[in-house]
Amino acid sequence: MRPLAALVAAGAVTPVGLRSIDTAFSHRAAAAAMREAPLVDAKGEPVTMCFLPTLNPLATGAARAAELGARALGEALEKLGPAARGLRVQMALCLDEHLGLRQPGGEVPAQRLAGELAARAEAHAPGISVKVATRGPAGPGFLLPELCDALGRGAIDAAVLGGVHTDYDPARIAALDAAGRIFRPDNLDALIPGECAAFVVLMRPDVARRAQLRDQGQIVGIATAHERARPDNDESAFQASGLTAALRSALAPLSERGLRAGWMLTDLTFETFRHFELQAASVRTQHLFCEPQQVESPAQRIGHLGAAAMPLHLGIASEAFARGFAPHPCAVSLAGSDGGERAAVVVVAPG
């Protein structure tokens, strides 16, 4: 089974950890981070969310996202050491859909955020190129094939896949509240607002060996699809044709070798339509998984992950593989965007 790319470094900042290893261990230890935020809903009631209390409480929106992203990106690139300065590096930055919308003043937050993070990355990897996608949680799955192809052809030496998300913003809270998507005792079919940034560095295994970097996991399958069910419609989530197809395609390289996955990392919150979708897809793909199945949904304990979901999943898996606290050597990351996009990425322990 030829890997599409090897994971050689990760960086993450979440409400349960300021570094990748902290978040990975805290997640596996079932840590939770809900607290009352200094933000209010339309009724003037405080909002319960998962956020970083170490950040300036007055920093919101894109400015806060830039600070989150800079910390996580810096950690990932620092782990490459001096070798990064001689590498051809491409970064794929994944952001939430609303950051791609033009603001009243004409600014597009995603463009400013990408520029700030690219400037930070220059210190570690001069000449780094950046591509931005505002497709939400499933966005990384749509960018990964292009990154892996570039690595395979030798067009680049390393790829940085990352995502940044924050709901810590009055406008964002107002939008979620208006859509009825904020979790509270009288609204359980919803999400807990959160914030997170995560980046992983990918290389071909042979390039990683030459750079004397440790292989911490290998991506072996990637697939994307679309679902008709979305938060704003009444389509049946039990159809799950897109997620089912994505799982079958992404897990095919394992099944062809008689292997099955035993660890699933999802971006599921408490919104029931996504749970129904996963239940339907899981029934149809049971033969691709082994028992006992470990299904983990970080967003239910550390808040909505947005576009950072899949990079965070890969970071958690790589740290767990490297340090021996992974529940299974074959993991699959699942994520879905509000527009119906779905993505699945399969990563296995090295060796």
Side-chain angles (χ1 to χ4, degrees):
M1 182 168 49
R2 184 178 179 182
L4 300 174
L7 297 163
V8 298
V13 177
T14 73
V16 295
L18 298 181
R19 294 182 65 82
S20 180
I21 178 58
D22 302 330
T23 288
F25 181 79
S26 295
H27 162 71
R28 292 289 297 126
M34 291 74 133
R35 55 177 64 90
E36 189 175 279
L39 298 171
V40 296
D41 60 20
K43 297 179 180 179
E45 296 294 328
V47 174
T48 296
M49 69 177 293
C50 301
F51 65 98
L52 274 74
T54 55
L55 295 183
N56 179 359
L58 299 180
T60 63
R64 190 176 181 93
E67 187 172 351
L68 286 165
R71 292 189 181 196
L73 177 60
E75 180 194 353
L77 293 177
E78 284 169 7
K79 290 177 178 177
L80 298 183
R85 303 191 67 84
L87 298 176
R88 296 165 298 163
V89 185
Q90 181 178 348
M91 179 166 70
L93 176 62
C94 300
L95 302 171
D96 297 321
E97 297 94 331
H98 67 276
L99 292 177
L101 302 177
R102 191 173 299 279
Q103 302 300 299
E107 181 184 53
V108 178
Q111 295 176 354
R112 179 163 63 89
L113 183 53
E116 292 184 23
L117 292 182
R120 297 288 189 101
E122 277 284 341
H124 301 279
I128 188 171
S129 61
V130 182
K131 181 172 183 178
V132 183
T134 53
R135 300 187 71 163
F142 287 83
L143 290 182
L144 259 175
E146 181 181 334
L147 291 178
C148 292
D149 178 67
L151 288 171
R153 291 185 288 105
I156 57 175
D157 300 311
V160 180
L161 175 70
V164 182
H165 165 78
T166 183
D167 292 315
Y168 193 101
D169 182 65
R172 176 66 175 160
I173 292 298
L176 290 173
D177 192 22
R181 299 183 69 185
I182 294 182
F183 187 91
R184 54 174 65 93
D186 61 347
N187 187 33
L188 304 182
D189 182 7
L191 58 85
I192 298 173
E195 59 183 6
C196 166
F199 290 82
V200 290
V201 181
L202 312 174
M203 289 182 172
R204 287 204 324 265
D206 59 309
V207 175
R209 286 192 294 271
R210 289 200 299 270
Q212 298 183 333
L213 293 169
R214 182 181 182 183
D215 182 346
Q216 294 183 291
Q218 298 179 345
I219 295 175
V220 298
I222 306 165
T224 58
H226 287 77
E227 289 288 359
R228 296 175 63 183
R230 303 191 308 270
D232 60 352
N233 67 27
D234 295 322
E235 294 286 346
S236 173
F238 287 109
Q239 293 182 21
S241 57
L243 184 59
T244 300
L247 277 171
R248 287 172 175 164
S249 180
L251 287 164
L254 287 184
S255 62
E256 289 168 0
R257 291 185 171 255
L259 302 174
R260 293 186 290 176
W263 185 16
M264 183 187 292
L265 290 156
T266 85
D267 69 326
L268 267 60
T269 59
F270 294 105
E271 293 184 296
T272 56
F273 85 100
R274 291 290 310 283
H275 287 267
F276 293 159
E277 178 186 298
L278 180 59
Q279 290 169 13
S282 295
V283 169
R284 299 165 190 164
T285 58
Q286 270 300 296
H287 63 288
L288 301 175
F289 292 90
C290 63
E291 296 292 342
Q293 295 176 30
Q294 183 77 25
V295 180
E296 299 176 351
S297 300
Q300 295 176 4
R301 288 183 280 109
I302 63 176
H304 183 41
L305 304 173
M310 298 194 91
L312 179 64
H313 293 165
L314 294 177
I316 289 173
S318 68
E319 296 283 8
F321 290 152
R323 290 168 173 80
F325 56 82
H328 194 271
C330 300
V332 57
S333 165
L334 296 178
S337 300
D338 287 350
E341 297 94 335
R342 299 292 184 266
V345 175
V346 178
V347 59
V348 300

